[in-house]
Amino acid sequence: MFGSKTVEKFREIETPFYYYDLALLRQTLDIYTKELKKHNYHAHYALKANANSKILSIVKSYGLGADCVSGNEVKLALNSGFDPSMVVYAGVGKSDKEIKIALEGDIFSFNCESIPEIQIIDQLAGSMGKRASISLRINPDIDAHTHKYITTGRSQDKFGISHWMFDDVIQTLNSCSNIHFAGLHFHVGSQITDYNVFSMLSKRINEIVARFEEKGMRVENINLGGGLGIDYDDPDANPISDFASYFSIINKNLRQESYQQVHFEPGRAIIGQCGSLITRVLYVKLGKGRKFAILDAGMNDLIRPALYQAVHKIENLTSSGRLMRYDVVGPICESSDRFAKNLLIPETSRGDIFAIRSAGAYGQVMAMRYNQKDLAPEYYSE
Ligand code: LLP
């Protein structure tokens, strides 16, 4: 929801642009860290959701670490002042160059996804006179019941190490002299709204931790990854995810010994609701049995609807006319460049300003310059 003063400001700015509500970000982080501390858990913000420098500096000021998935994200986290002892680095395809960046930075943990990766990290660490701290990313074979492109923890997915590899991976770890085994890592998907997934995951983790400990591998760190969803349908009713229930479900189901630390990697649930893509209507065009509202923002700015059939709430901020139906589309030369089909919104015309809500996570970071479009700039509520 935007006040009239904010909408007046939007009118003066060239569109499209991303707009971030920093007060909401702080409120979200206040609640998140309060609930986290209740259970003495640790969090590493997933930079991939939004790596904008202003946002990183606010997130860092709440004491969160960083979850990275590339050498450049590791560099960015370290250059942004995140404590190396709170930086984790995951990804199925870490290049030698990227591994060296992380070794140089003395990060807390590589989240390793395969035996050959562990062997390469061991070799590179040895050649640099370092000891790499690694956790194993486990594939727990759990369906997160989310979009197929953002489900990561089923046995057919490319992520993590499956149970039939456990003995081999333990043997590998025992034969690597430049590696310290830090613990186990899990991330089963994103935009998870069914909390049963987290209780199932916790119970599965108990079994897997026990299996590793029976084999003499002390699991000091258990990392449950990210994945908590947000309310895309009604961001004003639910601007902040239910962190209290999330952590208490995990606390109830996950076994934790006194020597074990529990970690999380939230992305979307921290920054998703804080961002909107602000755009203007360029033209209203009549099609066969429909009207198109053609925006100046497209899939190049926000690819989620085209890629995951994601539905973001769209508001016409400058018209209160009678409700009419439109296909809301972008200017890009692709039929998938559509934000909504048959959407009921106040009657629109050229120049109206629309807000595409809940675009703070996986919005700006996934933007591209297809059709040689400029990247949308960002503005802040402060
Ligand atoms: N940890 C790992 C290892 C991850 O791969 C991810 C997200 C996260 C944490 C953070 O997950 P979150 O809390 O944000 O759900 N582009 C997609 C989402 C891809 C998520 C990739 N991994 C989208 O727009 O929905």
Side-chain angles (χ1 to χ4, degrees):
M1 212 180 309
F2 300 98
S4 54
K5 272 195 189 147
T6 307
V7 175
E8 280 322 302
K9 265 194 213 140
F10 288 172
R11 280 188 194 277
E12 292 160 20
I13 305 174
E14 188 184 347
T15 46
F17 59 89
Y18 275 94
Y19 176 80
Y20 294 103
D21 179 346
L22 299 184
L24 178 59
L25 176 59
R26 292 196 175 90
Q27 269 174 34
T28 308
L29 285 163
D30 275 336
I31 298 177
Y32 185 85
T33 48
K34 194 181 98 205
E35 295 301 329
L36 189 80
K37 281 179 192 149
K38 267 190 198 162
H39 304 286
N40 209 8
Y41 291 159
H42 303 267
H44 311 261
Y45 168 71
L47 259 70
K48 68 178 83 61
N50 188 316
N52 170 322
S53 61
K54 196 153 192 149
I55 284 155
L56 290 186
S57 80
I58 295 176
V59 169
K60 189 183 57 131
S61 73
Y62 280 78
L64 271 66
D67 161 42
C68 305
V69 283
S70 71
N72 284 345
E73 281 194 357
V74 171
K75 264 198 228 166
L76 180 60
L78 297 176
N79 291 340
S80 307
F82 282 92
D83 185 341
S85 71
M86 306 257 298
V87 173
V88 294
Y89 174 23
V92 289
K94 302 177 184 77
S95 72
D96 295 21
K97 184 175 158 191
E98 292 179 307
I99 292 168
K100 284 182 193 160
I101 290 170
L103 285 168
E104 203 57 66
D106 292 320
I107 63 164
F108 171 58
S109 178
F110 287 85
N111 292 331
C112 289
E113 311 226 8
S114 66
I115 289 177
E117 180 195 329
I118 297 170
Q119 290 165 331
I120 292 298
I121 294 177
D122 180 54
Q123 271 174 30
L124 293 173
S127 71
M128 292 168 71
K130 300 260 183 192
R131 190 139 192 264
S133 166
I134 74 153
S135 297
L136 298 177
R137 177 166 180 179
I138 303 296
N139 183 321
D141 196 17
I142 282 184
D143 191 338
H145 301 297
T146 178
H147 189 277
K148 61 178 189 285
Y149 289 175
I150 50 175
T151 291
T152 52
R154 301 164 307 172
S155 58
Q156 68 265 38
D157 295 321
K158 71 175 174 180
F159 298 97
I161 296 169
S162 292
H163 64 91
W164 60 85
M165 301 288 296
F166 288 176
D167 287 342
D168 289 347
V169 88
I170 290 171
Q171 221 176 35
T172 307
L173 285 173
N174 288 334
S175 68
C176 289
S177 50
N178 307 305
I179 277 186
H180 163 73
F181 173 66
L184 299 177
H185 172 245
F186 303 81
H187 170 78
V188 295
S190 197
Q191 182 53 16
I192 300 170
T193 49
D194 175 359
Y195 281 58
N196 287 322
V197 171
F198 298 115
S199 58
M200 259 166 52
L201 173 64
S202 303
K203 288 176 192 155
R204 187 68 54 88
I205 291 176
N206 295 339
E207 293 164 20
I208 296 171
V209 168
R211 257 187 84 177
F212 274 81
E213 298 220 316
E214 275 159 22
K215 305 260 174 191
M217 308 295 291
R218 195 171 149 101
V219 180
E220 288 177 349
N221 294 282
I222 303 171
N223 183 338
L224 283 89
L228 179 61
I230 60 171
D231 188 345
Y232 281 95
D233 297 333
D234 200 347
D236 292 321
N238 294 304
I240 299 176
S241 299
D242 185 359
F243 299 129
S245 302
Y246 171 67
F247 288 126
S248 76
I249 282 173
I250 286 162
N251 188 255
K252 216 170 87 193
N253 291 285
L254 184 75
R255 207 178 310 125
Q256 184 184 1
E257 304 296 339
S258 55
Y259 58 87
Q260 290 174 326
Q261 289 194 343
V262 174
H263 303 253
F264 294 89
E265 299 169 345
R268 191 189 315 263
I270 300 293
I271 189 63
Q273 298 290 33
C274 306
S276 294
L277 177 60
I278 308 298
T279 165
R280 270 188 177 79
V281 175
L282 290 174
Y283 307 105
V284 174
K285 167 174 159 169
L286 278 182
K288 189 169 180 233
R290 67 190 65 214
K291 279 194 177 120
F292 294 101
I294 303 173
L295 306 179
D296 59 6
M299 64 191 284
N300 56 307
D301 300 300
L302 177 66
I303 200 172
R304 301 196 68 258
L307 193 55
Y308 316 111
Q309 299 75 51
V311 177
H312 287 247
K313 185 171 181 197
I314 299 176
E315 291 169 342
N316 184 346
L317 302 181
T318 48
S319 159
S320 51
R322 67 194 166 121
L323 294 178
M324 300 198 42
R325 293 206 176 264
Y326 298 89
D327 281 11
V328 180
V329 302
I332 298 299
C333 300
E334 300 274 343
S335 293
S336 58
D337 185 23
R338 183 176 65 202
F339 292 111
K341 205 174 174 182
N342 218 15
L343 181 73
L344 200 58
I345 36 169
E347 183 168 17
T348 186
S349 55
R350 179 175 169 81
D352 270 347
I353 296 182
F354 281 17
I356 304 181
R357 304 287 307 276
S358 313
Y362 309 109
Q364 198 185 9
V365 273
M366 293 181 80
M368 59 177 162
R369 292 214 48 216
Y370 185 40
N371 291 189
Q372 296 303 306
K373 288 285 190 179
D374 291 323
L375 291 176
E378 62 267 17
Y379 295 95
Y380 305 92
S381 54
E382 292 161 14

